[in-house]
Amino acid sequence: AEPLLRVNGLKKYYAASGRSAFRRSVVKAVDGVSFDLREGETYGLVGESGCGKSTLGKSLLRLTEPTEGEALYRGVDLFKQSRKSLQAYRRELQIVFQDPFSSLNPRQIVGRALEEPLVIHGIGSPKERTDRAMEMLITVGLRMEHYYRLPHELSGGQRQRIGLARALILNPRIVICDEPVSALDVIIQSQIVNLMRKLQAELKLTYLFIAHDIAVVRHISDRIGIMYLGKLVEEAPTDKLFANPRHPYTQVLLSAVPVPDPSGRRERIALEGDLPSPLDPPSGCAFHTRCPFATERCRTETPIRREVDEGHFAACHLI
Ligand code: SF4
Ligand code: MG
């Protein structure tokens, strides 16, 4: 079947600020990423902070303008739409951020914040909007009285429930979740992830779930893509990725995930150094400066993406 969203060769480059005009530096935040989002699935996008995953999410909604590539939503390229025609699609693609209230007025009651998307899209009468907001509070496991609360009166978990309610009030089909549980403690994290799974089933949602922690996306993702310095280095169904990670970077990420069965414990692989700057990414395979298996070839030649098993792709010279 046709994917709900097909991302093709997405690039987001921007000029680095504070640099001399003679050295025109370009940050390749997202550097040629392609993947499909299938109807009803959760695609987990994982990588270290600074790898470009948030930029990718924002580019899909054009909250930041992509430099190159396509985003075909039901066959229509979102990157080619005028601002005006994009508005219609923006109802169907919503985003949830780590802290949903960071961009909202702290003196505005929750109910008003919830209704805002309806106001922006000119949907319903004031009474209908209030009814819909109340309904959404129940949907995300809160109570109607939360309508009158101020953001600071809510816990982190409650705030993220409001974030979800606000994203879902327009009845979207795709929700881009950018580290939605990263600021929460572990117990609240699993409550929110469980709520998201329940909402996905009830409302037939498709998720792009962005996280730096692969353990967080494991139980919600059907497939996982691993990003390193603006590129997708591995992609596989979740089970296959955990059973047989092929890219050395994925192996490093997985070696840090605790396993319930001690006999299945992987040896922890330590990653040397920090993520290199996307301003000056390493030549060849960008991971070669930290890869335990790097050879001379890795320094000069960029590995191409290969299918190593059905639906399982990786880009590494070793495979
Ligand atoms: Fe490591 Fe080379 Fe594979 Fe890159 S191509 S992940 S440096 S072995
Ligand atoms: Mg981020």
Side-chain angles (χ1 to χ4, degrees):
E2 275 281 290
L4 189 54
L5 181 71
R6 166 159 284 173
V7 179
N8 234 334
L10 173 58
K11 292 183 180 172
K12 173 61 182 180
Y13 292 179
Y14 52 88
S17 52
R19 287 269 163 167
S20 123
F22 299 102
R23 263 196 72 189
R24 278 189 297 164
S25 312
V26 172
V27 177
K28 299 179 176 181
V30 181
D31 197 13
V33 168
S34 304
F35 66 98
D36 287 347
L37 205 51
R38 301 174 187 155
E39 179 131 40
E41 81 167 338
T42 297
Y43 187 102
L45 191 64
V46 177
E48 284 164 279
S49 151
C51 73
K53 55 199 194 304
S54 293
T55 304
L56 187 154
K58 290 193 193 100
S59 300
L60 294 178
L61 299 182
R62 289 174 59 185
L63 297 176
T64 179
E65 279 299 321
T67 307
E68 207 181 296
E70 294 179 321
L72 300 168
Y73 174 67
R74 296 156 74 187
V76 174
D77 189 352
L78 298 177
F79 295 168
K80 290 211 173 69
Q81 301 308 301
S82 66
R83 283 279 144 196
K84 197 168 181 292
S85 56
L86 193 63
Q87 184 80 347
Y89 296 103
R90 280 303 315 276
R91 277 187 69 169
E92 300 180 38
L93 289 90
Q94 292 290 310
I95 189 162
V96 176
F97 294 108
Q98 183 170 324
D99 181 2
F101 279 100
S102 59
S103 60
L104 297 178
N105 181 353
R107 281 179 291 275
Q108 186 183 47
I109 59 167
V110 160
R112 291 279 172 259
L114 271 181
E115 290 170 16
E116 212 166 63
L118 298 173
V119 174
I120 290 168
H121 287 267
I123 298 166
S125 65
K127 164 87 171 67
E128 286 164 340
R129 294 198 282 259
T130 302
D131 290 348
R132 175 80 175 139
M134 295 281 191
E135 182 193 340
M136 288 314 297
L137 287 169
I138 306 300
T139 302
V140 298
L142 295 170
R143 294 184 306 276
M144 287 190 192
E145 68 205 53
H146 286 107
Y147 184 95
Y148 303 99
R149 299 276 172 84
L150 289 165
H152 73 86
E153 297 174 306
L154 302 176
S155 67
Q158 289 173 330
R159 285 157 73 114
Q160 200 45 283
R161 285 174 195 266
I162 299 291
L164 282 168
R166 194 171 189 268
L168 298 178
I169 201 162
L170 291 169
N171 239 332
R173 296 183 65 185
I174 296 178
V175 183
I176 297 173
C177 313
D178 188 4
E179 304 261 13
V181 300
S182 303
L184 306 172
D185 68 48
V186 178
I187 293 176
I188 309 296
Q189 276 193 356
S190 65
Q191 288 172 0
I192 298 292
V193 169
N194 287 340
L195 170 67
M196 290 178 68
R197 296 177 74 156
K198 178 174 156 272
L199 293 171
Q200 180 170 44
E202 285 173 8
L203 305 172
K204 307 214 177 340
L205 301 169
T206 301
Y207 289 145
L208 176 64
F209 197 114
I210 298 171
H212 66 271
D213 183 353
I214 197 167
V216 165
V217 300
R218 179 175 194 170
H219 298 292
I220 194 170
S221 299
D222 300 287
R223 295 187 300 142
I224 292 179
I226 307 289
M227 253 182 109
Y228 190 80
L229 277 178
K231 291 193 165 81
L232 212 50
V233 298
E234 184 159 10
E235 178 189 281
T238 305
D239 296 347
K240 281 189 187 179
L241 192 84
F242 273 80
N244 192 13
R246 299 298 299 272
H247 195 282
Y249 181 58
T250 312
Q251 292 169 1
V252 169
L253 292 181
L254 286 181
S255 78
V257 176
V259 287
D261 169 17
S263 67
R265 194 175 296 279
R266 300 172 214 272
E267 202 174 328
R268 173 111 190 216
I269 311 168
L271 199 53
E272 308 256 329
D274 294 332
L275 188 69
S277 165
L279 196 57
D280 188 19
S283 59
C285 172
F287 188 52
H288 85 251
T289 54
R290 301 164 88 193
C291 180
F293 310 110
T295 64
E296 196 45 50
R297 182 183 179 200
C298 305
R299 278 177 257 280
T300 54
E301 202 182 312
T302 306
I304 52 159
R305 170 186 150 116
R306 273 181 250 278
E307 187 163 23
V308 293
D309 186 8
E310 208 193 325
H312 189 165
F313 300 88
C316 168
H317 291 311
L318 291 185
I319 51 182

